[in-house]
């Protein structure tokens, strides 16, 4: 006996075939978009180019939000910041050859900072692959070779059916600890080719966890529990792993002072009684770290800046927790624990007993007082005043992005970020032009929060085109440009080393008039009015520019 509801529930073969048949006119570009959407992407950055038109056409027919900046390098900086703030893999869509290569410096920064950027680039048509030199526009002998030593992994799709798996594999790589940029190439003809592959709806990419080996954390816990003068160095890995809370718990349990690296700003509360803050370029801090009988380094390779230009030589035991295998024991012998910072800190919290040390806060106060006394002998009141004004004007939860400029170099050591993952700079790879486009990416990631960008006039010239982007998308970014008429930090370095500077003096525009020509409100500020002017700009929705004419100087180095 057949019931009516059975007839309704069982589709005919024709109905099944119709349901499985893909919509007509879909291409390889649609497979890219469908895969990205299936993996969770909502926003993509990039610029169209001739070989990538099939991809951008598919984006235009989708619900993805496309944010087009004015240069590929700036688009990659924006994607980098979006990834840093959200922890998500961020698609960056590029075209072949010059367009792809333009993004290389920004991808180097993303690699240094462990930002999960998923770069998807077109390639010359399939017959031109393999270095055959067929003379295609934008042809390179091996495009991926230009990126292979910069990004975390390289992936290529040579047919439409390979696209979903290749994108998912790259996505998983970008989000597996340590996060990082990845590179995907798809030839133009593959992006344009019609496909009968069904719509991509069930893609999944599961990043691998990087858990510590228990015998290593057990030994580390033993050393820390028996230490007389333990100290913790917290790097960017703590921020990337969202492990600031666990770091604080461990430091308080051990009564261990904590210094944060420049990439780890915000990993530990600035005003905590155990906070050594970030004065890593001060010999007082270097001596303090050398005096530790057990030094716990979490999420840092103790590179050039974090080691006071390689003048730091530990005298006690070193425990290094690091997700990037290449950084493990790269500068100092250590008990190396290859692990995600969050998982390793959790393992230590489960085994380390409470350690009493009533003198630890006093030792911290003495160190910070010594740093302050050293600065008091130098003529650096202006620089300190500017940072105080910025901190007072900037809302505590607002992200700030700093270019490679003197005020940023000060901020690495002296600026209180208030919260984890709110202060970012290009100190990983050290390229100019990062701050403003990165701030635009942050404004897209956190649309209800005002964002600050800080540049010098030299670095600002790398990014002025993005005033158009800021206006087009009405992004809530205030751009502070410190105008000293040149590459100020290079001027100072060269004068110190060679008694004169070469190539550092610049003709620059009237930044106020330039910003206003884009329809972006702009004004000149002074050290005395900066706090109020900046507070007003940050409180006003939309983009704005403040120009501060000032010649700044660095505090005296202690590593020479």
């Amino acid at each position: 006996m057949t019931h009516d509801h059975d007839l309704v529930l069982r589709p005919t073969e024709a109905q099944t075939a119709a349901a499985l048949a893909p919509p007509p006119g879909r291409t390889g570009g649609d497979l890219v978009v469908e895969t990205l959407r299936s993996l969770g992407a909502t926003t993509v950055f990039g610029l169209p180019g001739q070989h990538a038109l099939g991809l951008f056409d598919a984006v235009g027919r989708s619900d993805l939000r496309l944010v087009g900046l004015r240069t590929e390098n700036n688009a990659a900086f924006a994607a980098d910041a979006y990834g840093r703030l959200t922890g998500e893999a961020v698609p960056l869509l590029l075209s072949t050859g010059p367009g792809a290569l333009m993004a290389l410096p920004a991808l180097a920064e993303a690699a240094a900072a462990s930002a999960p950027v998923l770069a998807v680039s077109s390639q010359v048509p399939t017959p031109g692959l393999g270095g055959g030199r067929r003379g295609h526009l934008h042809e390179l002998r091996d495009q991926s070779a230009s990126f292979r030593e910069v990004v975390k992994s390289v992936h290529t799709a040579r047919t439409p059916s390979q696209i979903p798996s290749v994108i998912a594999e790259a996505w998983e790589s970008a989000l597996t600890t340590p996060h990082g940029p990845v590179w995907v190439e798809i030839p133009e003809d593959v992006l344009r080719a019609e496909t009968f592959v069904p719509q991509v709806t069930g893609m999944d990419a599961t990043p691998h966890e990087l858990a510590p080996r228990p015998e290593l954390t057990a030994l580390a816990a033993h050393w820390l529990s028996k230490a007389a003068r333990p100290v913790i160095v917290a790097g960017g890995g703590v921020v990337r792993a969202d492990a600031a809370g666990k770091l604080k718990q461990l430091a308080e349990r051990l009564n261990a002072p904590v210094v944060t690296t420049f990439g780890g700003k915000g990993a530990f509360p600035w005003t905590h009684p155990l906070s050594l803050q970030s004065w890593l370029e001060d010999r007082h801090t270097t001596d303090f770290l050398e005096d530790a009988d057990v030094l716990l380094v979490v999420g840092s390779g103790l590179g050039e800046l974090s080691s006071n230009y390689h003048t730091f030589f530990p005298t006690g035991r070193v425990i290094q927790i690091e997700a990037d295998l290449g950084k493990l024991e790269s500068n100092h012998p250590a008990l190396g624990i290859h692990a995600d910072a969050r998982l390793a800190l959790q393992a230590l919290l489960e085994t380390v007993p409470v350690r009493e040390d009533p003198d630890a806060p006093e030792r911290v106060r003495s160190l910070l007082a010594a740093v302050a006394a050293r600065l008091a002998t130098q003529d650096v009141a202006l620089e300190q005043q500017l940072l105080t004004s910025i901190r007072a004007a900037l809302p505590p939860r607002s992200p700030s992005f700093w270019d490679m400029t003197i005020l940023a170099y000060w901020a690495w050591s002296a600026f209180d970020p208030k919260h984890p993952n709110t202060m970012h700079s290009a100190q990983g790879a050290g390229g100019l032009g990062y701050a403003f486009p990165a701030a635009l990416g942050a404004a897209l990631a956190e649309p209800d929060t005002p964002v600050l960008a800080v540049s010098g006039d030299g670095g600002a010239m790398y990014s002025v085109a993005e005033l158009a982007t800021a206006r087009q998308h009405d992004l809530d970014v205030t751009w502070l440009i410190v105008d000293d008429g040149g590459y100020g930090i290079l001027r100072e370095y060269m004068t110190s080393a060679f008694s004169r500077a070469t190539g550092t003096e610049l003709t620059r525009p009237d930044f106020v008039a330039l910003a206003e020509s884009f329809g972006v409100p702009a004004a000149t500020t002074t050290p005395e009015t900066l706090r109020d002017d900046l507070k007003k700009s940050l409180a006003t929705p939309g983009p704005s520019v403040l120009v501060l004419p000032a010649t700044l100087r660095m505090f005296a180095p202690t590593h020479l």
Side-chain angles (χ1 to χ4, degrees):
M1 181 176 180
T2 302
H3 299 284
D4 289 343
H5 66 266
D6 290 331
L7 296 175
V8 174
L9 291 174
R10 294 174 184 167
T12 65
E13 286 190 17
Q15 288 171 325
T16 301
L20 292 175
R26 286 169 62 255
T27 65
D30 289 287
L31 291 175
V32 174
V33 170
E34 292 166 9
T35 305
L36 292 175
R37 289 295 290 117
S38 186
L39 291 169
T42 59
T43 300
V44 299
F45 296 85
L47 282 75
Q50 181 171 324
H51 288 161
L53 294 181
L55 174 56
F56 278 81
D57 174 67
V59 170
R61 290 184 280 104
S62 76
D63 61 352
L64 283 172
R65 175 175 62 171
L66 171 63
V67 182
L69 283 87
R70 299 314 191 259
T71 73
E72 289 83 358
N73 202 49
N74 290 338
F77 280 146
D80 167 308
Y82 193 100
R84 292 194 201 192
L85 265 61
T86 64
E88 302 169 3
V90 187
L92 170 68
L93 310 183
L94 302 168
S95 193
T96 319
L101 294 175
M102 277 282 286
L104 192 54
L107 291 175
E109 176 58 39
S114 297
V117 177
L118 191 146
V120 180
S121 172
S122 61
Q123 246 292 23
V124 296
T126 306
L129 299 181
R133 310 301 288 160
R134 294 172 63 93
H136 290 287
L137 182 70
H138 305 327
E139 184 178 82
L140 297 169
R141 286 195 300 272
D142 184 357
Q143 179 174 276
S144 65
S146 298
F147 298 86
R148 196 175 305 277
E149 293 305 310
V150 172
V151 299
K152 187 177 177 185
S153 57
V154 170
H155 312 260
T156 303
R158 291 176 176 263
T159 66
S161 59
Q162 292 178 5
I163 289 174
S165 295
V166 165
I167 295 286
E169 181 182 68
W171 186 281
E172 185 175 295
S173 175
L175 289 177
T176 293
T177 304
H179 293 179
V182 295
W183 183 257
V184 176
E185 284 188 357
I186 307 174
E188 178 192 23
D189 53 330
V190 177
L191 289 170
R192 287 176 172 267
E194 288 200 27
T195 180
F196 55 83
V197 175
Q199 282 188 289
V200 182
T201 58
M203 290 304 299
D204 187 29
T206 305
H208 305 295
E209 285 196 337
L210 189 56
R213 286 166 35 209
E215 71 273 20
L216 296 176
T217 54
L219 180 56
H222 175 71
W223 285 1
L224 289 166
S225 66
K226 301 299 183 183
R229 298 177 310 283
V231 181
I232 300 174
V233 177
V238 177
V239 178
R240 297 282 83 78
D242 193 21
K246 294 189 183 301
L247 173 69
K248 182 172 178 285
Q249 291 179 54
L250 183 63
E252 290 175 344
R253 185 173 298 181
L254 291 169
N255 271 292
V258 179
V259 64
T260 60
T261 70
F262 305 151
K265 298 283 286 187
F268 195 72
W270 189 258
T271 58
H272 192 284
L274 293 172
S275 176
L276 299 168
Q277 301 178 0
S278 299
W279 287 100
L280 286 166
E281 287 191 48
D282 189 287
R283 188 67 216 180
H284 295 300
T285 302
T286 307
D287 292 341
F288 192 98
L289 295 177
E290 288 184 347
D291 183 59
D293 61 338
V294 177
L295 187 70
L296 174 62
V297 183
V298 189
S300 171
L302 290 180
E304 183 178 38
L305 298 179
S306 302
S307 64
N308 201 359
Y309 298 90
H310 296 298
T311 62
F312 162 63
F313 300 100
T315 59
R317 289 168 164 167
V318 178
I319 303 164
Q320 185 186 14
I321 297 169
E322 176 55 58
D324 186 338
L325 189 60
K327 294 180 181 178
L328 208 61
E329 292 192 87
S330 60
N331 284 301
H332 302 284
L335 175 64
I337 302 176
H338 184 215
D340 175 83
R342 183 180 182 86
L343 298 178
L345 288 171
Q346 179 60 41
L348 291 176
L349 281 169
E350 292 171 357
T351 51
V352 169
V354 174
R355 177 186 164 277
E356 301 296 339
D357 187 353
D359 295 331
E362 179 55 37
R363 290 192 292 124
V364 170
R365 285 192 294 270
S366 295
L367 171 67
L368 295 179
V371 173
R374 184 178 72 84
L375 293 173
T377 65
Q378 304 171 39
D379 183 17
V380 291
L382 171 61
E383 292 76 9
Q384 292 174 303
Q385 175 192 347
L386 295 178
L387 288 183
T388 299
S389 296
I390 292 171
R391 181 63 277 169
L394 186 67
R397 294 281 180 180
S398 281
S400 61
F401 291 82
W402 304 71
D403 217 330
M404 300 297 286
T405 187
I406 288 180
L407 195 57
Y409 283 36
W410 265 96
W412 293 348
S413 293
F415 190 74
D416 175 5
K418 295 295 184 187
H419 295 281
N421 207 25
T422 57
M423 179 180 173
H424 302 273
S425 72
Q427 57 90 20
L432 277 171
Y434 171 79
F436 188 55
L440 300 182
L444 289 156
E446 298 187 2
D448 298 324
T449 305
V451 182
L452 173 67
V454 180
S455 300
D457 58 288
M461 291 301 292
Y462 282 64
S463 310
V464 289
E466 304 311 336
L467 287 165
T469 304
R471 183 73 284 168
Q472 180 174 343
H473 297 280
D474 201 29
L475 299 177
D476 197 3
V477 175
T478 294
W479 192 10
L480 175 62
I481 301 173
V482 182
D483 185 358
D484 66 359
Y487 298 122
I489 190 67
L490 297 178
R491 176 195 293 142
E492 183 160 322
Y493 284 168
M494 290 187 73
T495 302
S496 175
F498 306 106
S499 301
R500 65 175 186 176
T502 302
T504 61
E505 307 313 303
L506 302 174
T507 298
R508 68 274 191 204
D510 179 338
F511 285 107
V512 172
L514 180 62
E516 289 176 339
S517 74
F518 285 92
V520 174
T524 300
T525 187
T526 68
E528 293 73 29
T529 62
L530 175 61
R531 176 178 176 173
D532 291 340
D533 292 342
L534 188 55
K535 190 172 184 178
K536 180 181 177 181
S537 291
L538 288 164
T540 304
S544 60
V545 171
L546 285 176
V547 180
L548 174 64
T551 300
L552 308 183
R553 55 177 299 191
M554 282 300 297
F555 49 81
T558 64
H559 64 279
L560 300 177

